Amino acid sequence: RISVEPGRAIVGPTAFTLYEVGTVKPLEGLRTYVSVDGGMSDNIRTALYDAEYSVVLVSRASDAAPMLSRVVGKHCESGDIVVKDAFLPADLAPGDLIAVPATGAYCRSMASNYNHALKPPVVAVREGGARVIVRRETEEDLLRLDVG
């Protein structure tokens, strides 16, 4: 008997999560903390079982020296880590976009509304075009089960 896990084999490597950098906080002699507009609500895998990811600056080119970085989420939890250790350009700044590759197999299906965070959209990209295939959640979506 042969088994295949299509989600991981097909979708996993082809999808990535795009984050906007919020704060860049250097800790002298240790590493730089980079906060992003997502976190454990859209990727719980690092917190749950120490999944490892890479990350890359995608919104612009940079020739700056690399700095050891930890990419963290917006949820104010000690376990809200997206990428534990990665080298990002030392000129990384708020507003930059970074991509975490290979997040397609489970991140979206494991996403939650932790701290009432809204789930991000899913966008398909092909041959230079993009289209939303799962819309961004709204506040109305988040509150739809409330009674009264």
Side-chain angles (χ1 to χ4, degrees), residues 93-113:
D96 281 338
L97 299 178
I98 58 176
V100 177
T103 59
Y106 299 108
C107 291
R108 177 66 186 184
S109 64
M110 295 173 73
S112 72
N113 293 115

Side-chain angles (χ1 to χ4, degrees), residues 114-135:
Y114 187 82
N115 281 350
H116 279 189
L118 301 174
K119 292 178 189 169
V122 176
V123 178
V125 178
R126 182 177 179 181
E127 297 175 359
R131 69 182 176 96
V132 175
I133 59 173
V134 178
R135 70 171 171 78

Side-chain angles (χ1 to χ4, degrees), residues 1-134:
R1 181 169 164 181
I2 298 175
S3 294
V4 176
E5 186 178 1
R8 186 177 195 121
I10 297 168
V11 179
T14 64
F16 64 91
T17 304
L18 187 67
Y19 293 107
E20 183 176 348
V21 172
T23 302
V24 178
K25 180 180 178 182
L27 292 182
E28 196 63 42
L30 186 59
R31 73 174 52 86
T32 297
Y33 281 80
V34 177
S35 72
V36 295
D37 61 346
M40 61 192 294
S41 58
D42 56 77
N43 186 349
I44 191 68
R45 295 183 70 240
T46 304
L48 282 182
Y49 42 84
D50 214 22
E52 292 184 17
Y53 291 97
S54 59
V55 62
V56 64
L57 173 64
V58 294
S59 56
R60 61 182 174 84
S62 174
D63 291 328
M67 65 178 174
L68 181 60
S69 304
R70 177 163 290 171
V71 179
V72 298
K74 64 180 181 178
H75 298 290
C76 281
E77 300 289 351
S78 61
D80 190 11
I81 298 169
V82 178
V83 180
K84 284 193 174 186
D85 292 304
F87 286 94
L88 287 165
D91 64 350
L92 193 72
D96 281 338
L97 299 178
I98 58 176
V100 177
T103 59
Y106 299 108
C107 291
R108 177 66 186 184
S109 64
M110 295 173 73
S112 72
N113 293 115
Y114 187 82
N115 281 350
H116 279 189
L118 301 174
K119 292 178 189 169
V122 176
V123 178
V125 178
R126 182 177 179 181
E127 297 175 359
R131 69 182 176 96
V132 175
I133 59 173
V134 178

